[in-house]
Each structure stands twice: as C-alpha cells, then as structure tokens.
Amino acid sequence: MKPRRFKITAKARKTLYLVTATGVAGLALQAANPTLVPFSNDSYIVSAASAFTEKITSGFQGIVRSSRAVYTISFNIVDYKYSLRGLPLESEEYLRALSEVHKSSAKRILKLCEANKGFYVKAGQFVAALRQVPNEYSSILSSLQDQAVPCEFKAIKRVLINNLGQDLSEIFLAFNEQPIAAASIAQVHHAVLKDHREVAVKVQYPGLENQMKFDVRTMAILSNCVAWLFPEYRFNWIVSEFEKTISLELDFVQEGKNSERTAKNFKKNKMVKVPHVFWELTTRQVLTMQFCNGHKVDDLESMKESGINPTKVAKALVEVFAEMIFVHGFVHGDPHPGNVLVSPNGPNGFCLVLLDHGIYKELDEEFRLDYCQLWISLILLDSHKIQELGERFGVGKYSRYFPVIFTGRTIDSKSALGIGMSKEEKKKLKQEVAYLRMEDFSSFMETLSPNFLTILRADGLVKSIIRKLGASQRLRLLVYAKYAAYGLLTDLNSESGYTVQYVFFRFKKMTNYIQLRLILEVLELHSRMEDLGHFLVNKWKIFWLNLWSFLNRNSFTFGQIN
C-alpha cells in the first residue's frame, strides 16, 4: 500500500507563513538588543550609529530567516505527525512511510539552508557529516558541501581595511578580487606581498557574529519545540555542539594557533604540509597564510594526470587522521575534500596540504587512551572489553553497537575484518534494531562524550573520501588499529621510573604491544594476499576475454586456412 502523504492547502500555507513571521519577530528583535551609549565625540557617534544600523538590519534579516526556519520545521513536524499516525511501529508500512517523510523533510531543510545561507548551510553540512542521522538526511543535505556564494568584493575590502588598518595597495603587490574559494562563513583570495611571497587571504563575511546570535537562538528554540511535541526526538545536543563549533570557527586567531600546533605535531612527517601563518596580517576576521598549490583530495582526474596513485593518497590520508586521533589527541573536525589538497611536491611524488583549521577538538588524555583500547577491542572483537569501555564512556548497553558504527561488523560477528556482515548477521541486526526507538537514539547521543561527535564526523568524511579514491575500508581499519596500538605505546614512553614494579609493568605492556602488532601484520598480509589474488584473477579474466575476442574476430580467416 502506498504511504499516505501530508499536503497543506494554499490558504493554510499563507496562514502558517504569517503566524511564523509574527511569532519570530519578538525573538529576532530580542536577539539584536541594540543599546544606547554615551557619545564623547563625532567619530564615536558615527561608529555607534553604524553599529546600531547594522543591528537593526541584522534584526530585520533575522526575522525573515527565522520565519523561514520556523515555517519549515513546523511543516515537518505536522508531516511526521500526520504521515505516521496510526501506523504500527514495527510494520513495513511504518518503515516505508518513515523513509518517505525523512526524504520530504530533508528536502525542505535543504531549501531552507539554500535560502538562508550562512550558518544554515554550515548547520546542514554539520548534520550531513553525522553518520548517526537517517541516511535520507545525510544524502540529501550532502549537496550543501559545495554550495557557497561569494560576497561582493566591495564588502570584503571594507573588512580587510578595517582589520589590517591600511589600504590593500600598501600591503600587497597584487590582490585578486575574485575569490579562489568560498565557504559559508568566509572566502579566500590569492595575493602577492610586497616581498613577492604568495599568500592566501581568508576573509570573514561581514556581520556574521550578529547573524550567528539570531540563527543559533532560532535553532535552539526550534529544537526545544520539536522535543516538546516529540519527546523522543531530542536534538539539543546537535545545536549545542554546533554553537560551540561555529563560535570557535569565527575566531581566525584561534584558527592560526590550531594551524601552528598541527604543523608542530607533524614536523617530522614529510607527507604533511600545513601553510605558514603571517601573524602580522592576521586578526579575528582575516587570516593570511602561505599559498599552496594542489588539487582536492578526491580529484581522481588530476591524480591521473599527475601520475599519483589514489590508493597511496587514501592510505596517507587515513594515517594522518589516525595519528591525530590516537597519538596527538588533537583532531581536525572538518576534513572535507576542499580542506585537504594533494600537492605534487613530496617524498613519494605527493604530499597532503591541510587547510581550514578552525574546527579542532582536543581529546583529554583519559579519553584518548580509552579510545585506543576501544579500537584494538573492535579489531579483535573483544566483546567483554568493548562492554567495559562502553561503561566508561557512559553509553552502557549501547556499546554493543560500537562495532557496527566503526567497523561494519556486529559484536558477535564471524566475518573477516573489512568484509562486512553476512546475510544472517544483517538479518539478526535488523531484527534487533527494529526494537530500538528514537528515544534510544536520543539517549545514546545525549550520553555520548562530545569527543565522539568530532571523531565520528571526521571519520565519516575520511571514510567517504577513501571510498571515492577506490581504497578498501579494510585499509582504514588496519591503519586505525596500528595507530591505536602506537597511541598506547606513547603513553608508556611518557612515564619514567626504575622500580622493579615499573620495569615489570613496562615489559608487560611492551609484550602486549608486540603481540598486537604481530596480529595486525598477519591481518595486513592476509589483506594484501587477497588484493593480489583479486588482481591476478582480474588479469586472468581480461586475458581470456581478449583471447576469446581475438579468436572470434579471426574465426573466418582460420576457416579459410583449414
């Protein structure tokens, strides 16, 4: 039976628009909250008047943007309520209807993000990168990744002069007014300094901080409304994490510090390049960096032209992020293809250039070590250890889904690493998940450490990139396991002592590390042998197909000879 679909009449649509616009007006004006201050001179009056005008303008825009948001979310709430009403929760009809309403709701949110731009696009990208949201949302909202309309240069120039205190001609020998890249909160211009050094200048769009107050407050209120109407749908954790993330990303000084720290972490790794920061030309709204050539990490055509092996690029990318997570505990939170370039200059014919260091997460040491232990347990499928770590992470019974989330296997799987689940395992998992409700998902995400959100987002983006590069997921799993083992060893090396107890402890830890590395080497050798087997089988098939084609083409000639 075809799932019923919710429709709204034109008259009701107009009424809903009017109600949402009126209801959000008070919210927007409250967020602007312009205040009068005493004036001491004419320039101060002009500056204050300009700031007041900007707040009024932001307030009006906030009303329009927030009205769109309230309307969209209200429409989606009614759609969910109507489309799923009366359907048995475990029925096929309910699941089909749920998938359809997910799709239609995601499309409305996509239109909202495209109309409001700015932080809504950023929020859409944030949600799309979360592997915990329904597939319909992540697939539809993923199109926002490349949607960014550059700001006109007149406004960008004002930001540059206000922040750098000089006219551009006094600082730069040349400045390209056309941006070489544009994102939801900033755009990047290529320029040449007076000493002929090439730089990339990242400029924040004007008025973003006021806009952020409106947008985040609107998102928070809407998430509370959704939770009130649907107690099992609680998304406050997304809004809270997004607000923290975006606040950090608006501070380009902090981004410069993150960049330098990352460069220091990888100073011995010639496969990684982090652009140098020019601090004398950097403020909260302007970031000036060394200009680096390269193409996006998922640009297969450019790799082919440069003779670069995509699988090697995939392995290097996984190793970089594995080192960040398991060893440094300082993780780049937004590694989408535009933020990782492949440069033809490097020890193996290429290197990775890491850009956009605004979103980082510093993992506390206890979490980092527990996460290393978790990955080793996931590779070895040590269900007891996984359960124990789940308790320490605060997720309790939901820890049994860690293997599915990270490795694609169930906790009692018999499948080989990287192969995925068997039909029987998929069937069993489907039956088990059928008993889970949105309440379970909300509870899981609310109790999960914020560290996990950054790691899951980064890992999801890395996983997507290596899939495009044609590398197997087994490669990712083995690299992560190796660096998890190494991450535990770095903790061992950080300790010191000469007591008999310490020496014995160190020996035991080192022995465990060696045993684990031997297991991983065997798994990697098995993986390579399988890859070689697939390669030889494919070559053999190609040989016989070519031979068969040759014989068919020349069969008439052979007949004549006979």
Side-chain angles (χ1 to χ4, degrees):
M1 185 173 67
K2 186 178 180 181
R4 57 192 173 191
R5 300 297 306 125
F6 167 71
K7 293 183 180 180
I8 188 169
T9 63
K11 183 177 179 180
R13 190 187 299 270
K14 290 179 181 177
T15 302
L16 188 53
Y17 269 129
L18 181 61
V19 171
T20 53
T22 304
V24 84
L27 164 67
L29 291 175
Q30 183 186 5
N33 192 24
T35 56
L36 296 178
V37 293
F39 302 128
S40 57
N41 53 56
D42 291 343
S43 63
Y44 189 66
I45 293 174
V46 172
S47 175
S50 176
F52 181 79
T53 302
E54 182 180 331
K55 284 191 174 185
I56 292 297
T57 303
S58 297
F60 175 75
Q61 292 176 344
I63 293 173
V64 175
R65 292 156 61 81
S66 299
S67 297
R68 288 196 195 107
V70 173
Y71 170 79
T72 300
I73 299 303
S74 300
F75 201 120
N76 282 355
I77 288 173
V78 177
D79 195 359
Y80 273 97
K81 280 286 189 184
Y82 177 84
S83 301
L84 303 177
R85 185 180 58 186
L87 297 179
L89 292 179
E90 298 176 16
S91 66
E92 289 293 331
E93 186 183 358
Y94 174 86
L95 295 176
R96 284 196 299 270
L98 182 62
S99 179
E100 286 299 318
V101 78
H102 279 336
K103 288 177 185 176
S104 57
S105 296
K107 287 176 182 177
R108 292 188 200 104
I109 291 176
L110 175 62
K111 289 181 180 178
L112 169 66
C113 295
E114 291 172 339
N116 279 359
K117 300 182 173 62
F119 293 108
Y120 281 84
V121 171
K122 198 74 182 175
Q125 293 172 346
F126 186 85
V127 172
L130 290 173
R131 289 155 61 186
Q132 294 71 41
V133 299
N135 290 332
E136 292 86 353
Y137 280 89
S138 56
S139 60
I140 290 172
L141 294 179
S142 63
S143 63
L144 291 169
Q145 199 63 65
D146 297 319
Q147 288 192 19
V149 179
C151 184
E152 61 176 16
F153 186 70
K154 184 179 179 181
I156 292 296
K157 187 175 181 180
R158 282 200 301 269
V159 175
L160 285 165
I161 293 174
N162 289 340
N163 279 267
L164 302 182
Q166 302 177 67
D167 190 74
L168 300 187
S169 60
E170 297 177 21
I171 305 171
F172 303 101
L173 190 65
F175 195 100
N176 188 352
E177 295 185 4
Q178 295 298 318
I180 57 175
S184 53
I185 67 168
Q187 62 192 50
V188 182
H189 292 261
H190 176 255
V192 181
L193 297 175
K194 291 289 188 177
D195 59 5
H196 297 278
R197 285 183 293 179
E198 290 184 87
V199 293
V201 185
K202 184 177 180 179
V203 189
Q204 194 175 120
Y205 299 137
L208 280 188
E209 292 204 13
N210 284 332
Q211 190 183 98
M212 183 188 73
K213 293 175 184 177
F214 282 111
D215 292 348
V216 171
R217 183 170 296 187
T218 302
M219 292 174 193
I221 290 176
L222 289 173
S223 68
N224 287 333
C225 290
V226 171
W228 179 64
L229 290 167
F230 295 89
E232 69 277 18
Y233 284 78
R234 299 190 297 275
F235 299 117
N236 307 68
W237 58 272
I238 292 183
V239 177
S240 176
E241 195 63 25
F242 175 71
E243 183 177 7
K244 293 175 188 174
T245 298
I246 207 67
S247 297
L248 291 173
E249 199 172 3
L250 287 177
D251 184 358
F252 287 177
V253 172
Q254 183 59 50
E255 180 175 343
K257 292 178 181 179
N258 292 341
S259 176
E260 287 195 335
R261 181 172 173 180
T262 302
K264 184 179 179 181
N265 287 342
F266 286 99
K267 63 181 179 181
K268 295 181 180 179
N269 190 336
K270 301 301 180 184
M271 291 298 295
V272 180
K273 183 174 180 60
V274 180
H276 169 74
V277 178
F278 292 82
W279 285 110
E280 67 277 13
L281 298 175
T282 294
T283 67
R284 279 182 60 89
Q285 293 181 309
V286 176
L287 175 61
T288 305
M289 307 160 287
Q290 172 190 6
F291 179 80
C292 296
N293 285 307
H295 53 77
K296 287 184 178 183
V297 71
D298 63 347
D299 188 346
L300 290 168
E301 192 61 34
S302 296
M303 289 184 204
K304 185 178 179 181
E305 292 174 1
S306 305
I308 298 173
N309 187 331
T311 304
K312 290 184 178 180
V313 172
K315 187 172 187 292
L317 179 69
V318 175
E319 287 176 340
V320 166
F321 279 88
E323 188 171 341
M324 282 185 178
I325 295 169
F326 297 106
V327 182
H328 304 155
F330 191 60
V331 187
H332 191 308
D334 195 22
H336 66 75
N339 287 342
V340 184
L341 304 182
V342 177
S343 170
N345 305 313
N348 296 318
F350 74 92
C351 72
L352 299 179
V353 182
L354 301 182
L355 305 175
D356 198 348
H357 302 270
I359 303 176
Y360 265 80
K361 188 71 174 180
E362 183 169 10
L363 311 178
D364 63 77
E365 190 65 2
E366 183 180 358
F367 177 88
R368 184 186 71 81
L369 294 173
D370 283 345
Y371 193 69
C372 289
Q373 291 277 12
L374 176 62
W375 261 91
I376 293 169
S377 303
L378 291 172
I379 297 301
L380 302 179
L381 274 183
D382 185 344
S383 58
H384 177 73
K385 188 66 175 179
I386 292 171
Q387 181 66 34
E388 178 188 324
L389 290 166
E391 295 293 338
R392 289 165 68 171
F393 287 133
V395 298
K397 63 179 182 179
Y398 302 113
S399 61
R400 66 178 288 100
Y401 299 109
F402 276 153
V404 178
I405 293 172
F406 291 108
T407 68
R409 296 190 293 176
T410 59
I411 197 165
D412 52 358
S413 174
K414 305 300 180 185
S415 302
L417 185 66
I419 298 299
M421 291 178 277
S422 64
K423 290 182 179 179
E424 292 75 17
E425 289 169 348
K426 287 180 180 179
K427 183 179 179 181
K428 183 179 178 182
L429 179 63
K430 186 177 179 180
Q431 291 172 344
E432 187 176 330
V433 171
Y435 290 99
L436 295 178
R437 298 289 175 262
M438 193 62 200
E439 170 65 31
D440 293 296
F441 170 76
S442 296
S443 298
F444 174 69
M445 295 309 299
E446 286 173 341
T447 55
L448 204 60
S449 165
N451 293 325
F452 266 110
L453 293 178
T454 301
I455 290 175
L456 288 170
R457 173 181 166 83
D459 182 49
L461 290 168
V462 168
K463 189 176 179 180
S464 173
I465 292 171
I466 67 171
R467 186 184 296 114
K468 290 181 182 178
L469 295 177
S472 68
Q473 289 303 319
R474 184 182 294 180
L475 179 148
R476 163 181 157 271
L477 299 177
L478 289 173
V479 169
Y480 274 21
K482 280 186 178 181
Y483 277 86
Y486 183 64
L488 290 174
L489 190 66
T490 57
D491 174 62
L492 180 63
N493 292 335
S494 67
E495 300 179 20
S496 60
Y498 299 97
T499 64
V500 174
Q501 185 179 3
Y502 170 75
V503 171
F504 177 75
F505 172 78
R506 187 180 178 87
F507 174 77
K508 184 178 178 182
K509 284 282 187 180
M510 184 65 72
T511 302
N512 290 340
Y513 172 75
I514 293 172
Q515 288 176 342
L516 179 62
R517 283 305 304 265
L518 286 173
I519 293 172
L520 293 175
E521 290 297 336
V522 171
L523 289 173
E524 188 169 13
L525 178 62
H526 180 262
S527 175
R528 288 179 179 177
M529 292 299 292
E530 278 199 350
D531 291 341
L532 178 61
H534 290 313
F535 174 78
L536 292 175
V537 168
N538 288 334
K539 285 291 184 183
W540 189 250
K541 285 181 180 178
I542 292 171
F543 169 77
W544 280 109
L545 286 172
N546 289 336
L547 179 60
W548 180 256
S549 177
F550 173 78
L551 292 174
N552 284 337
R553 287 198 307 269
N554 295 278
S555 59
F556 179 73
T557 306
F558 293 147
Q560 282 186 325
I561 293 173
N562 292 334

